[in-house]
Amino acid sequence: MGTDNKQLNEISKFLSYVLRHEPQSIGLQLDTEGWADIEGLIAGAAKQGRTLDRTIIRAVVSTNDKKRFAISEDGAFIRAVQGHSTPAVQREYVETEPPETLYHGTATRFLESIREQGLKAGARHHVHLSPDKSIALAVGKRYGSPVILEIQALRMYREGFKFFLAENGVWLTDSVPTRFF
Ligand code: HQG
């Protein structure tokens, strides 16, 4: 069976689902840093009739457009580097000083609520920010007509807000009050 982009993309979506959100859906255990045993992942997927092997998992990890996943140095474990909603995972990211400005892409229909409440993490564990406007635009487009919010990240940091940089370049913070827009 050929491993075309469509197939890799489809497996990436499956991995996002089980490694970020619903590991229990295939009986998979994640540790607090998000690591799952690759053999357990293959076995859990097989129970749902989904055939995976180490070669295709490695291909998904290495070709992934947003570098969403990482494999441990010993090759035994895999994790999503950010984007979790499952309470099983509480990653300890390294706190990092952010650049002056970071961007958050959202949909215009969320703006009224965001202007009232600021940015909230929602189901995921953090608010996701990007140093790149075009990435923020693409993120916003997933939910409708997109809009980019410019966040005064360095000012937030200097006022005591924590920022974390995930291994794939996505910036994370707990919430963004409106005074930093
Ligand atoms: C919005 C993708 C109303 C927020 C991307 C967003 C990202 C509010 C939505 C990653 C709000 C949450 C995360 C408030 C925030 N009122 N709406 N007070 N505060 N929102 O998907 O940032 O492709 O959980 O603007 O690249 O869109 O999956 O977060 O629209 O890095 O790897 O609530 O997902 O990565 O949506 O995306 P999400 P997000 P992947």
Side-chain angles (χ1 to χ4, degrees):
M1 188 168 52
T3 53
D4 54 31
N5 284 340
K6 199 169 153 232
Q7 191 191 358
L8 294 176
N9 190 35
E10 205 266 323
I11 297 171
S12 167
K13 291 216 159 107
F14 170 73
L15 293 183
S16 286
Y17 182 72
V18 297
L19 297 176
R20 286 172 168 175
H21 307 302
E22 303 287 343
Q24 68 282 4
S25 68
I26 59 162
L28 191 64
Q29 297 266 1
L30 307 185
D31 72 13
T32 55
E33 283 296 312
W35 293 113
D37 176 52
I38 292 180
E39 286 305 320
L41 170 65
I42 292 170
K47 278 191 212 138
Q48 293 197 338
R50 181 185 285 275
T51 309
L52 294 181
D53 60 31
R54 285 174 177 274
T55 307
I56 196 145
I57 291 171
R58 284 191 174 279
V60 172
V61 173
S62 65
T63 61
N64 196 253
D65 58 346
K66 290 189 185 167
K67 301 199 183 324
R68 292 177 179 87
F69 313 106
I71 290 177
S72 60
E73 269 177 36
D74 64 5
F77 300 91
I78 184 171
R79 72 175 169 189
V81 300
Q82 42 72 227
H84 300 90
S85 66
T86 171
V89 177
Q90 287 298 327
R91 281 208 56 191
E92 288 200 19
Y93 293 101
V94 181
E95 215 190 312
T96 312
E97 182 178 308
E100 185 141 355
T101 308
L102 286 170
Y103 302 95
H104 178 85
T106 189
T108 48
R109 66 193 159 95
F110 297 145
L111 274 182
E112 196 182 327
S113 162
I114 290 173
R115 285 208 183 100
E116 270 167 29
Q117 305 176 350
L119 286 172
K120 299 250 162 99
R124 300 193 205 241
H125 298 163
H126 298 95
V127 171
H128 290 220
L129 304 169
S130 172
D132 186 314
K133 266 190 187 175
S134 61
I135 290 175
L137 191 68
V139 171
K141 273 188 188 158
R142 297 177 307 149
Y143 293 118
S145 158
V147 54
I148 298 176
L149 300 172
E150 229 178 278
I151 313 296
Q152 296 173 358
L154 188 58
R155 190 160 76 83
M156 278 180 73
Y157 178 79
R158 290 196 174 132
E159 290 190 26
F161 288 82
K162 289 183 177 173
F163 283 81
F164 309 95
L165 179 57
E167 292 81 350
N168 62 351
V170 172
W171 285 86
L172 307 169
T173 194
D174 289 340
S175 63
V176 182
T178 53
R179 67 180 188 279
F180 298 106
F181 292 171

